[in-house]
Amino acid sequence: MITTLLVANRGEIACRIFRTCRDLGIATVAVYSDADAGALHVREADTAVRLPGAAPSDTYLRGDLVVAAALAAGADAVHPGYGFLSENAGFARAVQDAGLLWVGPPVKAIELMASKTRAKELMAAAGVPLLAPVDPGSATTADLPLLLKAAAGGGGRGMRIVRDLASLPGELTAASAEAVSAFGDGEVFAEPYVERGRHVEVQVMADGQGTVWALGTRDCSLQRRHQKVVEEAPAPGLDDGLRRRLHDAAVAAAQAVGYRGAGTVEFLVSAEGRPWFLEMNTRLQVEHPVTEAVFGLDLVALQLRVAEGGPLPTTTPPEPRGHAVEARLYAEDPARDWQPQTGALLSLDVPEAPGLRLDTGYTGGDTIGVHYDPMIAKIIAHAPTRTEAVRLLARALERARIHGPVTNRDLLVRSLRHPDFVAARLDTGFYDRHLTTLTATAPGEDAARRLAATAAALAAAAGPSPAGTGTGRVGPARFGAWRNLPARPQTRSYRSEPDGTEYEIAYRTGRDGIPAPGTGERVVAVHPGAVTLETDGLTRHFTVTLHGDRVHVDTSSGSYAFTALPRFTDPAERTEPGSLLAPMPGTVVRLADGLAPGAAVEAGQPLIWLEAMKMEHRILAPASGTLTALHAAPGLQVEVGALLAVVQDASATDAAPVSANAPADDPASDPVNAPVHASAHQEETTR
């Protein structure tokens, strides 16, 4: 019987497993890197063991250090979570060799499914339908498009879609290099790429007595960069015959490798309803909560029960009930090529309601760093029908108070309300087709933002208050001068984040001490942290929270972030024209060949590769011209806004650089001379 469990993972994953351990009376042990010293999973564990370093390769991917930590903490079992070493057969063997209980499938099953090529051979022998592999060396135009995959990969890392033969050799080389970097194995294979296919998977749970459950289906088709964003159970729109085929194939896959514990069998379903085996993940999945909600189960509790040698409660799974949808909240900017964001998470407050669940590894006040995946939380909604579950989830996201870095929250809300999603017209190309529309400024959004900025200005005029508070109605000043003439309008300026639109708000403070805007809105109430306005006959409530110069305005229909602008710009903050600034903290991993001051560059040419949050970001030349300065070198750690290089635009060679001691036009108003906050293309290079 397990008494103390070490979770060989971090963040939301570890916190999720600890929750079940507390329910079962099992003591918990966390491991943490230096970057995670103050993380929530460390705070929630009964005991924590430090893994010196910050990079995953030095910490969470060091199986020897994790096993030593388990022994030092007196743990008798290890749960790998998902990600990192969760599908590493060598780690599972090392855990067992150390006399510890492994909460996962047999080592042999992990080995058989670890290589996608070997797994496909095994599934073919078991009669599971699959896509025939394509030999890249003999591929023809008739085989296009192709999907390249790392044989030892997972999570969408290192995948490449090839649509023309000329690019195949280069993409093979790149995919292989990424596979070596991320998984230590450069084997790459190719298979047909199915356009508009659906990603459908089956959760399996097996015990050591021969019982295998197929726990329904999940649809995980809404993906960006082959990584899931929205998942739901059951997968909508599948007929009973297709569901039975998928269940039977998943059970056959588990039985073929003598599986035990929780696992997921993934399929690609074509627009015509034909299923093909993709892979089997020999671990718990990020999206497992939707299955738990529909079947009323705790899959982690079942994992622990099976690991202790116990049987599943029944020979057949429970009946499903209702529908569940999960959305992954990421610190990223979808409108800027999904660029990951970092910084302090000032507030994370998701409404509580029946049917809602929040899984997270963060609380307000934590910091989102550069070393790991940018996922902040998963929000799950369960309801009797799909329509009700989707509506509940969209509304919860809309009302959530999430202050700090830019997130994909607005994209999630719009995705859940998109006609194609509502009608369950799902496939993996959803964001390829709709991202521009989903991130565009909606009709009336500028007016709504201006109204939110007005609320921010009125709240600020009402007087200072601590972040998140708003007590005390503004009234007449008890002391001070009195005049018979109306006061001149005062103004406050705000820059909307992240789009950069600036708003200047004018208001007057009346004799009653209550500030009022000069744009027609009627002030119903003003507090330092709360404003109620009436406009066009509608009364709206605004909660205003200050965090330094950052202002967050939350309403019942959305949230807005602003930066309060000073009245005068500090000349020392001006940046040399053509400067390329780091868009986030990270590490310079390489430079373009021959890149040095004096080199000629072309607009859009990749100059610098910056690694941050498990991805590579290519910093592109903003214009054709000459590289006049280079401040980046491989291995250099940089902070957000750090000067990486300067490119002098060939069309603006006469433009003089701005001096901090001389008056000049604001370079930010000139698109040629403006500093460039690089927001370049990203490539999956997960360690």
Side-chain angles (χ1 to χ4, degrees), residues 49 58 67 113 209 212 376 408 414-415 418 477 579 661 666:
V49 181
D58 297 329
V67 170
M113 289 298 180
Q209 287 73 38
V212 180
I376 298 173
N408 67 334
R414 292 184 177 187
S415 299
H418 191 278
S579 298
N661 299 316
D666 185 354

Side-chain angles (χ1 to χ4, degrees), residues 124-371:
V128 177
L130 50 85
L131 290 168
V134 176
D135 179 8
S138 58
T140 67
T141 54
D143 298 314
L144 299 176
L146 289 174
L147 182 64
L148 305 182
K149 288 184 177 181
R157 274 79 178 194
M159 296 173 69
R160 293 285 193 276
I161 299 174
V162 179
R163 298 186 181 277
D164 64 272
L165 288 179
S167 64
L168 180 58
E171 296 288 14
L172 276 169
T173 300
S176 180
E178 287 183 11
V180 170
S181 175
F183 312 111
D185 184 344
E187 182 184 356
V188 173
F189 69 95
E191 64 186 18
Y193 177 69
V194 178
E195 303 279 8
R196 297 218 169 191
R198 292 178 62 180
H199 185 118
V200 178
E201 58 192 33
V202 177
Q203 174 76 58
V204 296
M205 177 63 71
D207 61 21
Q209 287 73 38
T211 299
V212 180
W213 283 356
L215 293 169
T217 57
R218 294 191 292 248
D219 189 290
C220 308
S221 296
L222 264 63
Q223 303 177 2
R224 55 96 167 109
R225 287 201 179 82
H226 311 292
Q227 291 183 317
K228 303 160 189 174
V229 177
V230 177
E231 306 101 345
E232 58 182 305
L238 304 183
D239 61 51
D240 291 341
L242 179 54
R243 289 184 189 277
R244 281 195 298 271
R245 289 185 65 191
L246 295 176
H247 288 180
D248 292 346
V251 171
Q255 291 174 334
V257 296
Y259 202 78
R260 187 174 67 249
T264 302
V265 185
E266 300 192 344
F267 299 90
L268 187 66
V269 178
S270 72
E272 298 77 32
R274 293 188 58 192
W276 288 284
F277 170 81
L278 286 177
E279 61 183 345
M280 182 175 185
N281 289 310
T282 53
R283 54 176 169 82
L284 202 62
Q285 294 274 94
V286 178
E287 59 273 18
H288 77 273
V290 293
T291 298
E292 290 185 323
V294 169
F295 284 89
L297 296 170
D298 183 332
L299 293 177
V300 174
L302 290 177
Q303 283 185 297
L304 297 172
R305 177 176 182 161
V306 169
E308 291 177 327
L312 292 173
T314 59
T315 56
T316 57
E319 289 296 317
R321 180 181 58 85
H323 199 96
V325 188
E326 173 183 287
R328 302 191 193 187
L329 181 69
Y330 285 102
E332 65 183 11
D333 189 347
R336 289 170 170 77
D337 199 28
W338 309 98
Q339 184 184 102
Q341 306 291 301
T342 60
L345 181 65
L346 305 168
S347 177
L348 177 61
D349 182 11
V350 177
E352 295 183 2
L356 283 179
R357 167 177 164 179
L358 174 68
D359 283 14
T360 183
Y362 293 95
T363 60
D366 289 343
T367 298
I368 300 171
V370 301
H371 299 286

Side-chain angles (χ1 to χ4, degrees), residues 351-487:
E352 295 183 2
L356 283 179
R357 167 177 164 179
L358 174 68
D359 283 14
T360 183
Y362 293 95
T363 60
D366 289 343
T367 298
I368 300 171
V370 301
H371 299 286
Y372 312 111
D373 188 273
M375 191 176 78
I376 298 173
K378 304 178 310 194
I379 301 92
I380 305 98
H382 179 231
T385 67
R386 182 179 190 268
T387 298
E388 292 170 298
V390 170
R391 181 176 60 197
L392 177 61
L393 179 57
R395 185 64 176 146
L397 285 164
E398 189 173 49
R399 294 179 54 227
R401 295 175 70 244
I402 307 163
H403 300 167
V406 175
T407 72
N408 67 334
R409 184 259 299 276
D410 291 345
L411 175 82
L412 293 173
V413 174
R414 292 184 177 187
S415 299
L416 293 168
R417 292 173 175 168
H418 191 278
D420 281 357
F421 185 84
V422 171
R425 293 190 291 266
L426 309 172
D427 66 78
T428 55
F430 179 87
Y431 285 122
D432 293 336
R433 295 192 303 277
H434 301 306
L435 183 61
T436 300
T437 303
L438 291 168
T439 56
T441 301
E445 187 170 337
D446 183 68
R449 268 207 209 108
R450 176 171 286 278
L451 196 61
T454 299
L458 298 181
S465 65
T469 65
T471 59
R473 180 183 172 89
V474 176
R478 297 186 59 183
F479 301 99
W482 180 89
R483 57 189 297 175
N484 194 34
L485 298 175

Side-chain angles (χ1 to χ4, degrees), residues 460-675:
S465 65
T469 65
T471 59
R473 180 183 172 89
V474 176
R478 297 186 59 183
F479 301 99
W482 180 89
R483 57 189 297 175
N484 194 34
L485 298 175
R488 296 185 60 186
Q490 300 182 54
T491 61
R492 292 180 185 268
S493 297
Y494 297 92
R495 182 178 63 242
S496 176
E497 304 295 346
D499 68 291
T501 304
E502 294 189 8
Y503 298 93
E504 184 178 272
I505 307 300
Y507 61 92
R508 297 178 188 269
T509 301
R511 295 175 183 174
D512 57 2
I514 299 177
T519 52
E521 295 87 6
R522 186 177 77 85
V523 176
V524 177
V526 176
H527 301 264
V531 175
T532 300
L533 298 175
E534 181 187 295
T535 176
D536 298 328
L538 299 176
T539 300
R540 296 177 172 87
H541 305 285
F542 303 84
T543 301
V544 181
T545 309
L546 306 178
H547 302 281
D549 63 352
R550 183 61 65 92
V551 185
H552 289 269
V553 181
D554 296 292
T555 75
S556 63
S557 58
S559 299
Y560 305 90
F562 302 95
T563 297
L565 301 177
R567 292 184 63 192
F568 304 102
T569 303
D570 184 354
E573 294 181 356
R574 297 187 183 276
T575 307
E576 184 177 354
S579 298
L580 276 72
L581 309 181
M584 66 197 69
T587 303
V588 176
V589 291
R590 61 189 175 106
L591 306 177
D593 292 341
L595 191 67
V601 299
E602 298 293 328
Q605 175 187 344
L607 302 181
I608 300 165
W609 281 258
L610 184 69
E611 185 179 271
M613 301 182 83
K614 303 170 73 173
M615 287 186 179
E616 273 190 4
H617 308 267
R618 294 184 296 161
I619 309 304
L620 311 181
S624 297
T626 304
L627 187 79
T628 59
L630 180 63
H631 302 282
L636 179 68
Q637 297 275 344
V638 298
E639 296 298 322
V640 63
L643 181 62
L644 301 177
V646 180
V647 174
Q648 186 176 47
D649 190 339
S651 64
T653 53
D654 296 330
V658 177
S659 169
N661 299 316
D665 293 333
D666 185 354
S669 66
D670 183 350
V672 172
N673 294 328

